[in-house]
Amino acid sequence: MRFDPALVPFSRRGSYVAFSVMAAGVQPAPGVQPAAGAQPPGLYWRSVRGPATGGRPMQELFELRLVRAGESLPFTLEASAALLRLSADDAWAEICFASPDQVQIRLKGAALQLRMVAIGAYDMVIADAPDRWQVVCNTIVETKLMVAARAGRIVVDAPWEAERCSRIVLELQPEAGVGEFTVDEFVGTWVPQASQASFDDCVAAATAEFEAWVSALPAVPAEYAEAREMAGYVLCSCGVAAHEHLPRPGILASKNGMIGVWSWDHCFHTWALADAHPEQAWDQFMLPFDHQDASGAIPDLINDRLVSWSFCKPPVHGWILSRVLQHTSLLNEERLAEIYGPLGAWTTWWLTHRDPGDGLPAYHHGNDSGWDNSTIFAVRPPIQSPDLAAYLVLQLDFLAEAARRLGKNADAVAWSTRADELVGRMLTRFWRGDRFVAIRTSDGAEVDCDSLQLYLPLVLGQRLPAEVRAALSAGLKAPWRFLTAHGLATEALTSPHYKDRGYWRGPIWPAPMLILIDGLTACGEIDFAADLRRRFCDLVARSGMAENFDARSGAGYHDFDFTWTASIFLILAHALTHS
């Protein structure tokens, strides 16, 4: 497997280090400005430690240059799951991960420079031993590196200025042949690594680890074998070790810019990995609940150094768990018992703290719905939207089923009753005979929009009346309204607010595709669901693990290292093996 590090970082499961080519492949989201001092094109050593959370945060620690006699050499790059190689005629440098927190470097015919890209207060490098230097990276992100020579020497250019170095350049130079170096990434106190494996042995071990991880993933049709491997790499390499605010190993949304665990992305990883890697799958689901507060809320996102409460994410958790229960073996009685209380509290939070008084909870911002700039939120929130009620119905249904399985029969009746009542209120409030609407709570006015978000209640399947199911399905089938050759646009193409690069106002997104395909299947629209499933899998196989896709052309947008795209592709492609 080969990939472009301008789109997908070179990293390893568990690591907070990533190598990326800064190029035009990753675009900031609408409304997000590129980081001040963004770096020019080149290969960079990056940190994915928090707290940066979106757009293109400045996480680049060092630019890597291949040099000879003081001159930079132009080089080509080859990247695979276990090896990154820089080549310039007869010179080369190779990089691999000996472990999540140790990088090995091997050189021939040229030196490799690590040039710190931004120097601020307290950034410094100090001699730790004759062949070992410690770098304190304080300004961009607080982390440390221990750079050591196995064969060759380290030449340091780092003039001292009272509190810091004015610049930091480490040149790793081969001597009498091939040079070999190690770089340990750490936060507190450096402890020498026990293993002293050779470079080739490290590459072999990393290759074997990756191949074993991918081999367990869900089977897909033969035509998607390459996309399956790429999805596996994205999911595997975006894993980070437990640290600080991450009490369990986590899978970041991306190791490009979205370096966090958002509180609905994690659900899709649980479904995709449920049978392949059950412990990791369950860790993903429980991570936000590890931070659940006394009111029952879970944070919008977490990473190793940040827990963000400004927003939340939609309660898709019960729907996901119901599908995990239906399609996988993950949910044994022990796990049901572990999640039952937290999921009940999360559900009650929505029904209590986000209810404006009529029994139908509201979103306070587009971010709460996951559809950040959806046209539903073109007017001032709070907004009551039928997708929120639909998710909560499914969450109540799952809680009722979990209660029955756990012998809590009275709870099961109570949850079911609340679900039935919520369905009735949702239909009365939002259904207009041929469509759903969203309501502004301040004055009860209907929101004038044409967003795919209003079709998400299809996820309720047979809980919807037949005429509602038929009207929604017909709306999705109409060619070039939402439906294109590649899937479903998030804003009607006939809408004046549609934009090709409109984020949630046009592009195709993985999560709505999965939600609607699942809902259509539950409604009995088997052929249409299968057609959409195939369109989406073809799109990902052609355009990569992008954050979202142009509804007209199918081109990928924003971030090509997006883990929910990888997980949702695996879920949908695996389903094609049964159709």
Side-chain angles (χ1 to χ4, degrees), residues 238-425:
C238 282
V240 291
H243 185 71
E244 293 188 15
H245 290 312
L246 292 176
R248 310 165 190 249
I251 295 175
L252 303 180
S254 167
K255 280 188 177 176
N256 275 321
M258 304 291 282
I259 54 172
V261 176
W262 270 259
S263 292
W264 68 323
D265 300 51
H266 70 117
C267 295
F268 304 109
H269 307 329
T270 297
W271 186 350
L273 301 178
D275 286 329
H277 301 287
E279 294 301 324
Q280 190 170 5
W282 193 242
D283 280 342
Q284 300 322 298
F285 196 85
M286 293 304 297
L287 268 170
F289 289 97
D290 290 334
H291 293 277
Q292 189 168 32
D293 71 12
S295 73
I298 60 176
D300 180 35
L301 72 103
I302 53 176
N303 59 33
D304 61 317
R305 291 173 176 170
L306 174 70
V307 181
S308 177
W309 295 94
S310 297
F311 307 102
C312 61
K313 284 293 172 278
V316 298
H317 305 78
W319 163 64
I320 288 284
L321 288 179
S322 69
R323 298 305 180 256
V324 168
L325 186 63
Q326 178 183 358
H327 296 296
T328 78
S329 59
L330 180 69
L331 278 177
N332 53 30
E333 185 172 319
E334 179 183 352
R335 290 185 177 126
L336 275 177
E338 183 181 1
I339 192 57
Y340 177 74
L343 189 68
W346 172 228
T347 307
T348 302
W349 179 85
W350 278 101
L351 297 172
T352 302
H353 295 279
R354 287 299 180 88
D355 181 358
D358 60 3
L360 285 164
Y363 292 126
H364 286 182
H365 190 278
N367 290 359
D368 292 349
S369 76
W371 291 55
D372 306 8
N373 68 329
S374 164
T375 50
I376 284 180
F377 303 98
V379 298
R380 185 184 298 276
I383 301 293
Q384 290 173 310
S385 182
D387 61 308
L388 176 53
Y391 294 145
L392 286 166
V393 168
L394 294 181
Q395 198 142 291
L396 289 162
D397 282 343
F398 176 79
L399 284 164
E401 176 62 21
R404 282 190 288 270
R405 291 177 180 242
L406 296 171
K408 301 176 183 290
N409 295 326
D411 282 7
V413 172
W415 293 124
S416 290
T417 299
R418 295 184 79 174
D420 293 342
E421 292 171 348
L422 188 54
V423 171
R425 284 194 294 270

